Structures are given as structure tokens and as C-alpha cells.
């Protein structure tokens, strides 16, 4: 069976902008024009200081990665207090810089260097806010940051290592479900996975640990959302979905330790309920172990991930979205091994009818606010594979519907075809 060719031109989106009210799905009528980009230097403390480039959301969407790196300041211009937070006593000009790259949705520039003593260091510059990230050894250091010095980007250390965190949204449309930045007067600093690492209470003017607030998605919050999902059946009676955080002996089980995850057979089907609100279908055992350490709840399916599970969980997310909770969404990843490496029971993926994916309209286009573009999709129409160009992963559903797709097969291997 032939493999679909997917051309994904990523349009980077950031921040949060006011969007029109979404309505139930009518026919798509086209796209809105993109406003012209502007570039604004950040005001500097003195007239002689080097202006720091700050890119607008429109800049970030329109620029290539190479152009972003050209706009970034030189590592040698990093402030003394920023450099010393990574390498005490060092000057940026005394560090041997080996290069720079993009990270964090391609909005932060990472500079790699080596100090005179041979220590490896990485500095970060946030293109969106025009700020260098200062590092804090622990939350106690973060808690001492005064109200007038709260930055948009920083590096926070905890028991799970160093985390580059920002107070920005990944997408600049508020119709789509994503981990929020502002929640009831609290500014949330999240890492690239959306996990909250520090919270600034804008009313009380103090810092909170994530566990000191109700912001992380705990098991209790997940169970409540899952238990609320229901629909009216053909018989006119209300039906509640399966509680996916219960153990079903012989079918699937909740994982209770990191070692239990690491000892799973290669190719295991792991379902993760993350502290960010993301539901992850499939990831490697290594990544699952890291997420477990950071508070994720997960279970493994020994008979595969069924279409029924995906439809119900997308329904849970959409019901929450309709109620105003725009934090829950689904992603479909990769089990992290090749077919030849698989051991034990294995299930290659499953299919979804397009009509079963929750949908809404935004600016005349049909979108799913809670289901992200799968990592390895095969698009079909009348049981035949289609080659479809997806020009923006955020608006993928509109692209494939216009191409006549009525069914999508979601694979969980990156380097094999379905016929292997």
C-alpha cells in the first residue's frame, strides 16, 4: 500500500489574540489575509546599549529559521548577570561560542559555548520578547524575583533538571485548545511540553509552585473530566464513556513506576494524560519515563489503541472546550522503534472517520480545536490513499476535507510503510 506524502510547511504562531466566536460546522469559504509584519527593537536602558531585536507574531510566522538566526544578537552581547547565572565569574566575550540554533517552537535562540575551564554552557535569547533567559538554581531563587522584574523567559531548575520556560502561548488563536498562560489572575511559566514550572500570582504579587495551585492536570482533574463525558444514544438515553483511568485486567493497566515503563516491550502502546492537559497517544518508553517523573499519568494497552478510545477521548476534550476549558487536546506520536525492534504484542495504529473528529468553524474554515495533526497520517477517500498537501498543521482538517478525505489512518511508526 503506498505511503502518503505530507508536505508540512510549519507556520509558527505565538501569543494570544482575540478570535471570532466559533460556530457549528458549516461549509468552508476561504482564508483571511495575513497582516503585514513589523519589527520593533526593544527599548534599551541607555543610548549606547545594543538594541535587542524583538520579533512580532507576524514576523515569526513569515520568517525562515535562517532569517531568525540572522536577527538574533551575538552571544558576546549577553548581559553579565545572565552569563554569570550559567557560568559564575565568566564574561560572554571570554566564552568560546560554537554556534546557535532555534528551540522552543523556533522562537528561542540557543547559543552553545565552552568556558575557559572547559565547562559547556548554553544561553537562550527569546526572539518574541527580546529578552535573554536568566537561570535560577531552584524555585526558592525564582520566588525572590520582584514584581517589576518578572521576565517573559527564564531557566528554572528542579529535581528533573533545567527547564527553559516562557509565559507565551504556542498559537495566537484562542479558539484552539492549548495550555493557557493566564488562568484566573495567575501567569503560568511552562516548558516546551506545556508543563507548568512556576506561577506568578498577579493579584497577590507572589510566586507559586505548580502544586500550590490548581493549574496542573492532576489525576483527580482528569478523572472528573472523563467522568463527565456523555452523549444521548439512539435509544434517547444518556450514556457515559469508559473511565480510561481505571485498570482493566488483561486489557490495559495504569503504570505506577518508572522502572515499570522502562521494562515494557519495545513498541508498547502508551497513553499519557499530561499535567499540561495534553493527551498523548504513543511515545517512546524513554520519553514516557521522563513524563512520568514530571507527574504524567499513563497506561499501556496490550491489545492496541482502538478507534473507540480515540473517538471518546476527543469527545471528552471537545465537551470541555465547549464548556470553556481550552486546555485539553489530543496528539498522536510515535512508539519510538522500528518494526524489526518490536517485541511482544503490537498494534500498528487505527483509523478515524473524518466525521467523527470534533470540528468547528474559524474564519470560514473547518478546524478541529482539540485534535492535532497526527505525526504519521495516511489520508484516504473511498478506501483509496490520497496524496494531500497540508500547508499549516494548525488548519490541517480544512486542507484534507477540501481534498476529499473521508478517512484517516493513524500510524505509530515513523520509518515503515503499512505494507511492511
Amino acid at each position: 500500500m503506498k505511503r502518503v506524502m505530507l508536505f508540512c510547511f510549519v507556520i509558527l504562531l505565538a501569543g494570544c489574540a482575540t478570535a471570532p466566536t466559533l460556530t457549528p460546522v458549516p461549509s468552508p469559504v476561504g482564508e483571511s489575509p495575513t497582516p503585514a509584519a513589523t519589527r520593533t527593537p526593544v527599548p534599551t536602558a541607555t543610548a549606547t546599549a545594543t538594541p535587542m531585536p524583538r520579533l512580532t507574531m507576524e514576523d515569526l510566522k513569515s520568517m525562515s529559521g535562517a532569517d531568525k538566526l540572522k536577527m538574533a544578537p551575538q552571544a558576546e552581547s549577553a548581559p553579565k548577570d545572565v552569563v554569570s547565572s550559567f557560568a559564575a565569574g565568566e564574561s560572554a566575550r571570554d566564552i568560546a561560542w560554537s554556534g546557535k540554533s532555534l528551540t522552543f517552537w523556533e522562537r528561542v535562540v540557543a547559543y552553545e559555548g565552552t568556558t575557559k575551564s572547559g565547562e559547556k554552557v548554553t544561553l537562550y535569547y527569546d526572539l518574541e520578547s527580546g529578552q535573554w533567559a536568566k537561570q535560577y538554581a531552584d524555585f526558592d531563587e525564582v520566588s525572590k524575583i520582584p514584581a517589576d522584574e518578572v521576565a517573559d523567559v527564564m531557566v528554572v531548575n528542579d529535581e528533573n533538571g533545567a527547564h527553559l520556560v516562557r509565559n507565551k502561548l504556542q498559537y495566537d488563536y484562542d479558539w484552539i485548545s492549548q495550555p493557557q498562560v493566564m488562568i484566573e489572575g495567575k501567569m503560568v511559566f511552562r516548558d516546551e511540553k506545556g508543563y507548568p514550572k512556576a506561577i506568578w500570582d498577579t493579584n497577590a504579587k507572589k510566586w507559586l509552585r505548580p502544586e500550590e495551585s490548581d493549574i496542573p492536570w492532576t489525576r483527580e482533574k482528569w478523572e472528573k473530566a472523563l467522568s463527565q463525558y456523555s452523549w444521548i444514544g439512539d435509544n434517547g438515553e444518556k450514556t457515559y464513556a469508559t473511565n480510561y483511568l481505571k485498570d482493566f485486567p488483561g486489557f490495559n493497566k495504569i503504570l505506577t513506576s518508572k522502572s515499570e515503563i522502562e521494562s515494557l516491550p519495545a513498541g508498547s502502546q502508551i497513553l499519557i494524560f499530561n499535567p499540561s492537559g495534553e493527551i498523548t497517544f504513543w511515545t517512546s518508553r524513554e520519553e514516557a519515563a521522563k513524563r512520568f517523573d514530571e507527574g504524567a499519568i499513563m497506561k499501556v494497552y496490550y491489545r492496541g489503541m482502538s478507534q473507540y478510545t480515540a473517538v471518546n477521548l476527543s469527545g471528552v476534550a471537545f465537551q470541555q472546550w465547549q464548556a470553556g476549558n481550552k486546555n485539553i487536546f489530543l496528539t498522536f506520536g510515535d512508539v519510538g522503534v522500528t518494526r524489526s525492534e518490536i517485541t511482544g504484542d503490537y498494534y500498528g495504529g487505527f483509523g478515524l472517520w473524518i466525521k467523527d473528529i470534533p470540528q468547528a468553524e474559524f474564519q470560514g474554515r473547518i478546524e478541529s480545536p482539540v485534535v492535532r495533526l497526527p505525526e504519521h497520517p495516511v489520508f484516504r477517500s473511498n478506501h483509496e490513499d490520497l496524496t494531500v498537501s497540508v500547508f499549516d498543521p494548525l488548519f490541517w482538517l480544512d486542507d484534507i476535507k477540501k481534498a476529499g478525505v473521508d478517512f484517516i489512518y493513524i500510524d505509530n511508526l515513523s520509518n515503515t510503510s503499512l505494507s511492511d
Side-chain angles (χ1 to χ4, degrees), residues 130-148:
Q131 298 174 354
W132 291 90
K134 188 174 180 179
Q135 179 171 223
Y136 297 90
D138 50 34
F139 182 82
D140 288 340
E141 281 197 2
V142 173
S143 67
K144 297 174 184 176
I145 302 174
D148 60 350

Side-chain angles (χ1 to χ4, degrees), residues 162-182:
H163 309 274
L164 178 65
V165 298
R166 303 171 76 234
N167 61 355
K168 305 293 183 184
L169 289 171
Q170 181 173 6
Y171 302 111
D172 67 342
Y173 296 113
D174 65 4
W175 60 265
I176 190 170
S177 292
Q178 58 183 316
Q180 298 299 296
V181 170
M182 291 299 300

Side-chain angles (χ1 to χ4, degrees), residues 228-246:
Q228 290 175 339
Y229 178 54
S230 63
W231 63 91
I232 303 300
D234 295 336
N235 59 2
E237 296 181 0
K238 181 180 286 190
T239 302
Y240 286 89
T242 302
N243 185 334
Y244 291 96
L245 287 179
K246 288 185 178 179

Side-chain angles (χ1 to χ4, degrees), residues 29-103:
V29 295
E31 302 181 6
S32 61
T34 301
T38 59
R39 295 192 179 104
T40 306
V42 175
T44 52
T46 66
T48 58
T50 302
M52 293 291 101
R54 179 176 63 193
L55 303 180
T56 68
M57 290 182 289
E58 294 305 322
D59 289 332
L60 293 164
K61 287 188 285 185
S62 64
M63 293 174 66
S64 68
D67 286 340
K68 293 175 188 176
L69 291 175
K70 288 179 182 178
M71 287 291 296
Q74 296 301 313
E76 289 80 4
S77 67
K80 183 176 180 181
D81 62 332
V82 169
V83 178
S84 63
S85 70
F86 290 88
E90 294 283 346
S91 164
R93 295 186 179 278
D94 293 331
I95 296 174
W97 300 104
S98 57
K100 55 186 177 181
S101 59
L102 292 170
T103 186

Side-chain angles (χ1 to χ4, degrees), residues 4 7 35 56 59 63 76 95 114 146 155 162 196 260 282 358 372 408:
V4 68
F7 303 96
T56 68
D59 289 332
M63 293 174 66
E76 289 80 4
I95 296 174
T114 306
V155 175
E260 190 175 14
W282 307 319
R372 300 294 185 267
I408 177 173

